[in-house]
Amino acid sequence: MNILIFGPNGSGKGTQGDLLMEKFGIAHIESGAVFRQHVGQGTELGKQAKDYMDRGELVPDEITIPMILDILGKSSKGWLLDGFPRNMEQARNLFEALTKAGMILDYVVEIKLPRQTAKERIMGRRLCAVNNNHPNNIFVDAIKPAGDKCRVCGGSLSARADDQNEEAINKRHDIYYDEKEGTLASAYYFKDLAVQSETRYIELDGSKSITEVKGDLIAQL
Ligand code: AMP
């Protein structure tokens, strides 16, 4: 089972991604998390990526595309790809690589959310040290942390620096909502391809609660 998931930062993409990963027993490949791991470990790739990440800009395609395609090639049991592609260059490269490897794309999931709502959600979100996808947001009543701890497991919480920087958030959303060359353009590229193939394109209303979005997703799988 191979799945692509799209949604602006703040749409609950990571949370829904976890559900898909558990249901199908596939690897969750999250490009942002892969980069953060490199930065944390101080690798050469991490050093190259860090400044772009801090500014909310895309890490250059020459670095990102081979890194992701290499991980995909090693995930033969299926994958959920989250955070890639983010522009048309990445989308076309991904499509070519899938075709060449004979990999079928089973689902493409798009979580829709208005830009302003996404921004508010990002600024309030807190990351659990145990699982970054445990939902915690100081501005959303349904998923308020338990004091300063994770509401799911009690793990310690922190905020990502690029989540507290309004300029960086705006840049990330400029890229996401760009329907000509950006991330939405790549989602629509795969939507068009889905019409001519066995891929199913699922659209979800991300403004609903996590449980409702989960229900909508499961109903369409
Ligand atoms: P995210 O956790 O998805 O918000 O990603 C954090 C940062 O990692 C982004 O702001 C980019 O700098 C970088 N990044 C993640 N995915 C990609 C990608 N597909 N292409 C380029 N840069 C990326």
Side-chain angles (χ1 to χ4, degrees), residues 9 13 30-33 35-36 49-61 64-65 67-68 82-87 90 125 160 162-163 168 172 175:
N9 311 91
K13 186 164 49 83
E30 205 184 333
S31 52
F35 279 127
R36 277 188 290 281
K50 187 172 183 310
D51 287 346
Y52 295 101
M53 295 171 74
D54 288 344
R55 291 194 298 265
E57 290 171 11
L58 290 186
V59 178
D61 286 340
T64 308
I65 294 174
M67 177 186 87
I68 295 296
D82 173 349
F84 184 99
R86 262 172 151 102
N87 62 27
Q90 295 181 2
R125 99 178 149 182
R160 268 170 54 179
D162 58 347
D163 280 356
R172 280 146 77 195
I175 298 164

Side-chain angles (χ1 to χ4, degrees), residues 98-217:
L98 295 180
T99 309
K100 212 164 153 190
M103 279 185 188
I104 306 272
L105 195 52
D106 296 281
Y107 293 105
V108 178
V109 178
E110 182 198 343
I111 306 181
K112 293 173 175 290
L113 192 68
R115 186 166 172 158
Q116 186 55 31
T117 316
K119 185 171 176 179
E120 285 158 14
R121 286 208 197 155
I122 287 186
M123 299 200 83
R125 99 178 149 182
R126 296 294 177 266
L127 292 190
C128 166
V130 178
N131 180 337
N132 281 355
N133 289 322
H134 282 165
N136 289 278
N137 196 306
I138 60 169
F139 296 149
V140 182
D141 282 341
I143 52 169
K144 274 226 164 77
D148 60 353
K149 300 283 183 228
C150 171
R151 54 185 287 282
V152 179
C153 71
S156 58
L157 295 177
S158 62
R160 268 170 54 179
D162 58 347
D163 280 356
Q164 301 305 304
N165 174 344
E166 211 172 336
E167 207 182 324
I169 294 174
N170 287 339
K171 269 195 203 150
R172 280 146 77 195
H173 280 159
D174 282 346
I175 298 164
Y176 185 83
Y177 289 97
D178 176 353
E179 297 185 16
K180 287 214 165 77
E181 276 299 316
T183 311
L184 274 182
S186 3
Y188 300 157
Y189 171 80
F190 280 98
K191 188 176 183 178
D192 287 345
L193 286 169
V195 176
Q196 319 148 24
S197 70
E198 54 207 285
T199 305
R200 294 221 358 242
Y201 195 90
I202 298 175
E203 290 169 84
L204 300 170
D205 175 359
S207 60
K208 294 184 182 175
S209 73
I210 292 179
T211 319
E212 284 172 313
V213 182
K214 269 186 184 171
D216 291 348
L217 174 57

